[in-house]
Amino acid sequence: MSGIYARRIGVVVASAALAATSGLLTAPTAQAAMPTPVAASTARTYLSQLTVSAEGSSTGYSRDLFPHWITQSGACDTREVVLKRDGTNVTQNSSCTAVSGSWYSEYDGASWTAASDLDIDHMVPLAEAWRSGASSWTTAQRQSFANDLTRPQLIAVTDNVNQSKGDQDPAEWLPSRTAYRCTYARAWVHVKHYYNLTVDSAEKSALQSVLNGC
C-alpha cells in the first residue's frame, strides 16, 4: 500500500462445493466472509448523516499509530483469523499460519491457493481514517479500528490489487469487479458511519453514485 500499510493476506471466498456447482463464470457464494454491510437503503441514509469536510492532513500519520494484527486467540492474530474466515478449506499450522486453502478475491475475481498471494485490506484505509478524524483518537481506539472483525472493515484480497488501492477513497479507486462495487460502497459507509469519520465532497458523490445503482 504505497508503503503505508502492511495489510496481509486474504480474500473473500466461498465454499468450494458451491464454487464447483455455480460454474466458472459465477463468483462463489461466500459461506464465511467479511461481515455483511448494511443494506443500500441504510447506507444511503448513513451517508447523508456523515459530516462532509475537506480531507485532513497526513501530517503525523504512521501505521504504527494503528497497532494491527494483534493477537485474537492463542497463536492467531487478526490477519490469520481473516485468512481462515475468508478462505475455503484453510489449514493452519501450530503457529496459526495458513499453509493451504483457497481464496476468492472479491475485488478482482481472482482465485488463489497460496496465502502469500493475498493481503488483508482495511476497507477504510488507515491513512484515510487518519485524515477523516482518527488523528484525534487514542491509540486504543485506532487499534480497535485496525483490527475490527465485527464491522465490514477487513477483507482478504489479491495483494497487488490491495496495493493499487493504497489509501485512496472511492472517488479515486473502486474494485475492478463491478459486481462488488455496491457491497464495497455499503461497507465503506457502514464503517465510516460507525466510527463517525468524515467524507469529502468527491468521496460522497462517488458513494452516492454507486449506492443509487444498488
Side-chain angles (χ1 to χ4, degrees), residues 170-202:
E172 304 159 317
W173 188 93
L174 287 168
S176 61
R177 184 171 162 255
T178 56
Y180 196 68
R181 289 183 179 179
C182 181
T183 303
Y184 187 87
R186 288 160 48 209
W188 183 282
V189 172
H190 185 156
V191 171
K192 280 221 160 177
H193 184 268
Y194 181 83
Y195 286 99
N196 197 28
L197 295 169
T198 62
V199 289
D200 63 49
S201 56

Side-chain angles (χ1 to χ4, degrees), residues 8-9 69-70 72 75-87 90-93 95-99 103 115 120 149:
R8 300 307 296 264
I9 333 188
W69 309 162
I70 62 172
Q72 293 290 341
C76 300
D77 64 18
T78 308
R79 169 180 171 271
E80 297 299 342
V81 169
V82 177
L83 267 183
K84 175 76 170 178
R85 181 198 72 187
D86 290 1
V90 176
T91 300
Q92 297 170 310
N93 64 18
S95 300
C96 203
T97 300
V99 293
W103 292 266
I120 303 301
L149 294 167

Side-chain angles (χ1 to χ4, degrees), residues 31-178:
Q31 294 302 292
M34 179 182 77
T36 302
V38 293
S41 57
T42 303
R44 287 190 287 268
T45 299
Y46 281 3
L47 182 59
S48 71
Q49 296 170 348
L50 293 178
T51 299
V52 179
S53 176
E55 198 165 80
S57 170
S58 292
T59 301
Y61 170 76
S62 167
R63 52 178 283 257
D64 293 337
L65 295 172
F66 292 79
H68 57 292
W69 309 162
I70 62 172
T71 300
Q72 293 290 341
S73 176
C76 300
D77 64 18
T78 308
R79 169 180 171 271
E80 297 299 342
V81 169
V82 177
L83 267 183
K84 175 76 170 178
R85 181 198 72 187
D86 290 1
T88 299
N89 299 324
V90 176
T91 300
Q92 297 170 310
N93 64 18
S94 59
S95 300
C96 203
T97 300
V99 293
S100 66
S102 60
W103 292 266
Y104 176 80
S105 174
E106 294 283 8
Y107 288 2
D108 58 333
S111 294
W112 304 99
T113 56
S116 59
D117 288 319
L118 306 162
D119 279 355
I120 303 301
D121 179 40
H122 289 96
M123 175 63 64
V124 175
L126 305 183
E128 164 68 22
W130 177 269
R131 298 189 296 264
S132 304
S135 60
S136 66
W137 293 354
T138 64
T139 299
Q141 288 172 315
R142 288 191 287 263
Q143 176 174 293
S144 294
F145 175 82
N147 297 274
D148 190 349
L149 294 167
T150 304
R151 262 63 55 181
Q153 165 65 347
L154 299 173
I155 182 172
V157 294
T158 303
D159 55 3
N160 62 348
V161 172
N162 180 52
Q163 291 150 22
S164 72
K165 172 182 171 178
D167 60 353
Q168 299 176 96
D169 69 35
E172 304 159 317
W173 188 93
L174 287 168
S176 61
R177 184 171 162 255
T178 56

